[in-house]
Amino acid sequence: MHRFHDGSWQRVSDQLAIEEPLEIRISHVEGGRRKKTPLSITMRTPGQDFALAAGFLFGEGLVSRRDDIEEIDYCRDVPSDAERCNTVLVTLRPGLEVNLENQKRNFTTTSACGVCGKASLAALAMDGCQALPVSTKISAATVMGLPGALRAAQRGFDSTGGVHAAGLFTPGGDLLALGEDVGRHNAFDKLVGERFLAGEAPAFERTAILLSGRASYELLQKAVRARIPIVASVGAPSSLAVHIAQAFSITLAGFLKPGGFNVYSGRSRIRD
């Protein structure tokens, strides 16, 4: 990546937290027959996958004792090694009552993110998403000024200290729209939804968005769909966020501070 610090650029290496989807399936007895049910897909850092699955089931009230779970393993009936490493099957003991209807509202099952990073990128391409043009430029000084401009407009944060924000800016640094919410993804959706309802979605291609937290897969996916060419965050990007930015020609900057920032993709859009 490229690091801008004290007015000059350096090309350096950086470590990213890995982000991949994990699909949790359960094998349970229903009506006297054992069946497999996809339960949830969650974005996670690989490692302790079985513990994550067990903790999720316990937190949702599907299991209450250790012996409610007979076995946890990676699924063997998926087509590729990448998907196998990202799909967990939890086998529940016979006789355990599983009522999915009452708790379905709590689950985040979706086919949108696939079960591996390549599937996630392919899903966006299949939906007609294309690489963004590189015509929109922004200066390094403007990028460094975005956090201050966003913070000055955050009335919700001033009152509570407990909400995230997403701010849409012109390449010159003028704030166009602001979304605030306890959820990072909700703040982004509020901002885009407001502009969308106003009929201004095509205007996104000449804007930049600043995220108050880290840059994750879901937020970069939203930027691709909204055709926002420049994404900046005050925190770190994940590995899958960088892959999406590179694949769809999005400028992705992270760790914004008064003295500089890091660029993980699309360095050409930033003027010195």
Side-chain angles (χ1 to χ4, degrees):
M1 59 122 186
H2 295 85
R3 174 172 292 151
F4 186 81
H5 181 69
D6 289 341
S8 62
W9 291 96
Q10 291 178 304
R11 185 167 176 83
V12 298
S13 297
D14 195 16
Q15 292 189 341
L16 303 177
I18 300 297
E19 182 182 32
E20 283 283 329
L22 178 71
E23 180 176 350
I24 300 172
R25 302 178 183 179
I26 59 171
S27 172
H28 58 110
V29 176
E30 184 177 293
R33 301 180 61 184
R34 184 165 286 278
K35 62 182 293 188
K36 295 179 181 179
T37 303
L39 195 63
S40 176
I41 294 181
T42 182
M43 303 302 292
R44 99 301 189 193
T45 297
Q48 297 181 287
D49 290 337
F50 296 169
L52 173 59
F56 176 81
L57 295 184
F58 180 79
E60 294 296 335
L62 294 177
V63 298
S64 57
R65 305 194 312 269
R66 173 61 184 88
D67 59 7
D68 286 339
I69 297 176
E70 285 193 341
E71 182 185 18
I72 306 180
D73 199 359
Y74 292 106
C75 286
R76 299 183 176 88
D77 57 350
V78 291
S80 69
D81 290 339
E83 291 174 287
R84 191 171 300 114
C85 292
N86 289 332
T87 311
V88 166
L89 178 66
V90 183
T91 302
L92 304 180
R93 65 174 175 83
L96 181 64
E97 294 288 334
V98 178
N99 190 336
L100 299 180
E101 290 301 320
N102 290 343
Q103 295 164 306
K104 189 175 294 183
R105 67 185 182 278
N106 296 328
F107 301 152
T108 55
T109 302
T110 172
S111 61
C113 66
V115 286
C116 70
K118 289 183 179 179
S120 306
L121 297 174
L124 288 170
M126 288 176 62
D127 285 346
C129 297
Q130 299 178 348
L132 279 83
V134 296
S135 55
T136 300
K137 306 288 184 179
I138 191 170
S139 72
T142 298
V143 173
M144 288 187 290
L146 296 182
L150 181 66
R151 179 67 185 85
Q154 286 185 255
R155 295 181 180 178
F157 188 86
D158 284 340
S159 301
T160 67
V163 292
H164 282 285
L168 193 70
F169 291 87
T170 67
D174 296 322
L175 183 65
L176 297 171
L178 171 71
E180 282 190 294
D181 196 275
V182 292
R184 295 177 298 120
H185 312 94
N186 295 342
F188 194 116
D189 286 340
K190 286 180 178 180
L191 180 158
V192 172
E194 179 182 280
R195 306 286 288 186
F196 178 81
L197 291 174
E200 300 174 357
F204 285 143
E205 286 198 357
R206 293 192 57 78
T207 61
I209 192 166
L210 175 65
L211 312 173
S212 65
R214 68 183 184 90
S216 64
Y217 154 81
E218 293 96 339
L219 294 172
L220 265 292
Q221 175 184 259
K222 293 176 186 296
V224 170
R225 295 189 185 280
R227 307 290 294 167
I228 299 175
I230 300 170
V231 178
S233 65
V234 298
S238 70
S239 63
L240 193 49
V242 173
H243 287 320
I244 290 178
Q246 293 172 343
F248 292 93
S249 187
I250 287 180
T251 296
L252 176 58
F255 290 111
L256 267 68
K257 301 175 182 177
F261 52 89
N262 297 341
V263 179
Y264 299 86
S265 173
R267 155 80 174 85
S268 63
R269 286 195 184 90
I270 301 180
R271 301 191 306 270
D272 293 350

